[in-house]
Amino acid sequence: MTFENLSIIPQIREALNKKGYLNPTPIQEKAIPFILEGKDVFGCAQTGTGKTAAFALPILQLFHAKQLTKKTPGIKALILAPTRELAIQIGESFTDYGTNINIKHTVIFGGVSQGNQTRALQQGVDILIATPGRLMDLMNQGFVKLHTIEFFVLDEVDRMLDMGFIRDIQKIITKLPVKRQTVFFSATVPPEIKKLANGLLTNPVSVQVAAVSAPAEAVKQSMYFVEKQDKKDLLKLVLEKENINHALVFMRTKHGANKLVKDLVKFGVSAEAIHGNKSQSARQKALEGFKNRTIKLLIATDIASRGIDVDKLTHVINYELPEVAETYIHRIGRTGRAGEGGTAISFCASEEKGYWKDILKLVGNVVIVETTPKFSNTRPVAADEPERKRNFSNNRRFSGKRKF
Ligand code: AMP
C-alpha cells in the first residue's frame, strides 16, 4: 500500500517523501479513505501509530481541493488536543505535511501569554489546533468564532476526559455547526467515551489498530526488581551497561522527577525534567534539548509526556511504575514507533508490586532481570509471581557478583 493508492495528492506525497514516510501505517490505511469520502470516523489508536497524519493528511487535502474552487473566510477545521505538547506537535505535523499547499494553521494553548496567538487568529487561519482551556478563554474574549467549522477533530479523548476537560468540550461542541465532519480518536474506550462519541458522530465508521491491551510488538521489555533507594544506582549501571545515550524516563510525580534530575546531574548525566509545574518555555527548552540530543535523559510525568513525539527514540525507562496499567502501554509506546524497534526498561520496588501485577495482566514478553545481592531482597517479588514461569524467560545478566 502506498500514499498514492490512498489517493493522496502529489504535493502532499512529496512532503511525506521528505519526511521519509514510505508507506501509510495501518491506521492511516484504514482511516484516510473514509475521511476523504466525508465520513465521520471513530478511531481507536494509541499514540505512536501515526494517527496524527491519519487525520491531518485528508484534512489538508480536502481543504486544498475546496480552496481551489472557492476560498471562504473563517476557521474551517478545529482540532482539540489535551496538552500543549501534543497541540504543538500536531501543529508541526500540519506544517510538515502542508509545506507545498497554501493552508494556514495556528496552535493555541495555555500557560503562555495570548498576544501571539490572538495576532495569528486575527490574520485568519483555516485550521485551528487548540487545547480546550485556552480555546474557551479566547472564545469568551471573542477572538475565536466556530460557526464556520466544517471539520472537527477530538484527539486523545480519553486523556482529555482524564484531565477534566469534559465541561469545556461540551461547551465548545454547542458552538459548532451541526453540519460538519467529525473525527474522534481515543486510545481507550470506556463507557463515557462511547457515550460522548455517540452524541457527536453521525453514522461513524470505526477504525481500530492494536487494542490498548496489546503493546507494540516491536518493543523489547524488561523488568528489574530493585528497592526504591537503590534505583538511582541501578539506573546509572543500566545506562552504562546497555550503552544508552538517549532515553525518556518516567516518574509518577513532579517532585520525584525534580529529585531524580538532581541525582543524575550529580552522577554527571545530563537530564532535564518535564512536568506541569514547569513553565511552558522551560518545558519547550527541555524537549528541544532532548530532541537535539544535548540532553541525554528527559524525566517526565505521565501527563506532561503525553504527546511527546521524538523521532527514533530507542529507550523508555519506567523508573517508577504507573498506577494505572494502561499507562504502562502508553509509556512504552513512545519507543518502537512506526515499525522501528525499541527497548522499555522498568524498575519495580516492593511497594510497586501491585502495579506490576496489573501490568502483567496486559503484557507479555517481559524479560525479568534479577539484580545484585545488594538488591537481593527484591528477588522474592519476582519469584512470587505465578505468571513468571508461564510467560517469562529469566535473565541473570546482573545477578551475582557485580558490585556497584
Ligand atoms: P503519531 O501516532 O501521530 O504520534 O505518530 C507517531 C510517529 O510516527 C511520528 O513520529 C510520526 O512522524 C511517525 N509517522 C507517522 N506516519 C508515518 C508513516 N506513514 N511512516 C513513517 N513514520 C510515520
Side-chain angles (χ1 to χ4, degrees), residues 21 25-26 46-52 86 89 93 97 156 216-219 248 250 291 305-316 329-343:
Y21 296 7
T25 64
Q46 304 170 36
T47 203
T49 52
K51 67 183 168 54
T52 311
L86 183 62
Q89 275 167 14
S93 297
Y97 309 148
E156 300 204 351
E217 292 270 316
V219 181
L248 181 59
F250 283 99
K291 280 184 174 176
S305 80
R306 187 77 180 212
I308 288 179
D309 178 17
V310 179
D311 275 350
K312 309 217 184 318
L313 179 63
T314 53
H315 289 82
V316 163
I329 311 263
H330 290 304
R331 287 181 178 186
I332 71 168
R334 301 303 141 125
T335 180
R337 286 182 159 211
E340 291 182 22
T343 302

Side-chain angles (χ1 to χ4, degrees), residues 208-250:
Q208 184 165 6
V209 294
V212 72
S213 57
E217 292 270 316
V219 181
K220 268 195 301 178
Q221 303 171 60
S222 55
M223 181 67 73
Y224 290 68
F225 292 96
V226 51
E227 280 314 333
K228 191 175 167 187
Q229 67 274 16
D230 295 326
K231 282 188 176 183
K232 56 179 187 292
D233 290 324
L234 184 62
L235 177 60
K236 190 168 168 258
L237 181 84
V238 168
L239 292 174
E240 284 164 9
K241 282 272 129 204
E242 306 272 323
N243 229 341
I244 300 171
N245 290 314
H246 199 230
L248 181 59
V249 180
F250 283 99

Side-chain angles (χ1 to χ4, degrees), residues 158-171:
D158 48 352
R159 199 63 177 182
M160 284 203 268
L161 296 202
D162 266 5
M163 292 172 73
F165 284 137
I166 184 71
R167 287 234 173 91
D168 284 346
I169 293 172
Q170 280 164 341
K171 277 190 207 145

